[in-house]
PDB file of all heavy atoms in Angstrom:
ATOM      1  N   LEU A 210       0.775  10.845   5.341  1.00 98.00           N
ATOM      2  CA  LEU A 210      -0.305   9.906   5.111  1.00 98.00           C
ATOM      3  C   LEU A 210      -1.653  10.574   5.243  1.00 98.00           C
ATOM      4  O   LEU A 210      -2.562  10.246   4.465  1.00 98.00           O
ATOM      5  CB  LEU A 210      -0.238   8.759   6.161  1.00 98.00           C
ATOM      6  CG  LEU A 210      -1.246   7.677   6.090  1.00 98.00           C
ATOM      7  CD1 LEU A 210      -1.224   6.991   4.718  1.00 98.00           C
ATOM      8  CD2 LEU A 210      -0.960   6.633   7.222  1.00 98.00           C
ATOM      9  N   ARG A 211      -1.725  11.528   6.062  1.00 98.00           N
ATOM     10  CA  ARG A 211      -2.982  12.399   6.178  1.00 98.00           C
ATOM     11  C   ARG A 211      -3.222  13.121   4.832  1.00 98.00           C
ATOM     12  O   ARG A 211      -4.400  13.225   4.445  1.00 98.00           O
ATOM     13  CB  ARG A 211      -2.802  13.339   7.375  1.00 98.00           C
ATOM     14  CG  ARG A 211      -4.122  14.032   7.766  1.00 98.00           C
ATOM     15  CD  ARG A 211      -3.845  14.874   9.011  1.00 98.00           C
ATOM     16  NE  ARG A 211      -4.922  15.809   9.266  1.00 98.00           N
ATOM     17  CZ  ARG A 211      -4.815  16.857  10.073  1.00 98.00           C
ATOM     18  NH1 ARG A 211      -3.621  17.105  10.677  1.00 98.00           N
ATOM     19  NH2 ARG A 211      -5.782  17.692  10.272  1.00 98.00           N
ATOM     20  N   MET A 212      -2.131  13.599   4.283  1.00 98.00           N
ATOM     21  CA  MET A 212      -2.308  14.225   2.929  1.00 98.00           C
ATOM     22  C   MET A 212      -2.803  13.222   1.879  1.00 98.00           C
ATOM     23  O   MET A 212      -3.680  13.524   1.049  1.00 98.00           O
ATOM     24  CB  MET A 212      -1.005  14.878   2.521  1.00 98.00           C
ATOM     25  CG  MET A 212      -0.650  16.170   3.181  1.00 98.00           C
ATOM     26  SD  MET A 212       0.808  17.000   2.402  1.00 98.00           S
ATOM     27  CE  MET A 212       2.114  16.455   3.529  1.00 98.00           C
ATOM     28  N   ARG A 213      -2.298  12.008   1.907  1.00 98.00           N
ATOM     29  CA  ARG A 213      -2.765  11.002   0.977  1.00 98.00           C
ATOM     30  C   ARG A 213      -4.198  10.731   1.071  1.00 98.00           C
ATOM     31  O   ARG A 213      -4.954  10.678   0.195  1.00 98.00           O
ATOM     32  CB  ARG A 213      -1.975   9.698   1.201  1.00 98.00           C
ATOM     33  CG  ARG A 213      -2.470   8.530   0.332  1.00 98.00           C
ATOM     34  CD  ARG A 213      -1.972   7.216   0.825  1.00 98.00           C
ATOM     35  NE  ARG A 213      -0.625   6.891   0.369  1.00 98.00           N
ATOM     36  CZ  ARG A 213       0.010   5.785   0.613  1.00 98.00           C
ATOM     37  NH1 ARG A 213      -0.570   4.859   1.361  1.00 98.00           N
ATOM     38  NH2 ARG A 213       1.262   5.541   0.198  1.00 98.00           N
ATOM     39  N   LEU A 214      -4.694  10.501   2.413  1.00 98.00           N
ATOM     40  CA  LEU A 214      -6.070  10.190   2.682  1.00 98.00           C
ATOM     41  C   LEU A 214      -6.975  11.404   2.331  1.00 98.00           C
ATOM     42  O   LEU A 214      -8.097  11.240   1.863  1.00 98.00           O
ATOM     43  CB  LEU A 214      -6.237   9.755   4.090  1.00 98.00           C
ATOM     44  CG  LEU A 214      -5.448   8.536   4.499  1.00 98.00           C
ATOM     45  CD1 LEU A 214      -5.848   8.086   5.898  1.00 98.00           C
ATOM     46  CD2 LEU A 214      -5.619   7.414   3.561  1.00 98.00           C
ATOM     47  N   ALA A 215      -6.477  12.624   2.635  1.00 98.00           N
ATOM     48  CA  ALA A 215      -7.303  13.777   2.315  1.00 98.00           C
ATOM     49  C   ALA A 215      -7.503  13.918   0.756  1.00 98.00           C
ATOM     50  O   ALA A 215      -8.631  14.182   0.309  1.00 98.00           O
ATOM     51  CB  ALA A 215      -6.618  15.021   2.787  1.00 98.00           C
ATOM     52  N   MET A 216      -6.430  13.659   0.013  1.00 98.00           N
ATOM     53  CA  MET A 216      -6.567  13.749  -1.463  1.00 98.00           C
ATOM     54  C   MET A 216      -7.499  12.666  -1.957  1.00 98.00           C
ATOM     55  O   MET A 216      -8.160  12.865  -2.986  1.00 98.00           O
ATOM     56  CB  MET A 216      -5.169  13.640  -2.093  1.00 98.00           C
ATOM     57  CG  MET A 216      -5.210  13.936  -3.592  1.00 98.00           C
ATOM     58  SD  MET A 216      -5.833  15.541  -4.014  1.00 98.00           S
ATOM     59  CE  MET A 216      -4.417  16.591  -3.468  1.00 98.00           C
ATOM     60  N   ARG A 217      -7.580  11.545  -1.271  1.00 98.00           N
ATOM     61  CA  ARG A 217      -8.452  10.474  -1.701  1.00 98.00           C
ATOM     62  C   ARG A 217      -9.859  10.917  -1.657  1.00 98.00           C
ATOM     63  O   ARG A 217     -10.754  10.376  -2.406  1.00 98.00           O
ATOM     64  CB  ARG A 217      -8.262   9.204  -0.888  1.00 98.00           C
ATOM     65  CG  ARG A 217      -8.773   7.944  -1.559  1.00 98.00           C
ATOM     66  CD  ARG A 217      -7.783   7.280  -2.476  1.00 98.00           C
ATOM     67  NE  ARG A 217      -6.971   6.372  -1.769  1.00 98.00           N
ATOM     68  CZ  ARG A 217      -5.639   6.321  -1.793  1.00 98.00           C
ATOM     69  NH1 ARG A 217      -4.949   7.140  -2.578  1.00 98.00           N
ATOM     70  NH2 ARG A 217      -4.900   5.431  -1.137  1.00 98.00           N
TER      71      ARG A 217
END
Side-chain angles (χ1 to χ4, degrees):
L210 183 55
R211 191 176 167 197
M212 282 188 264
R213 175 197 279 181
L214 300 187
M216 188 59 73
R217 199 84 90 230

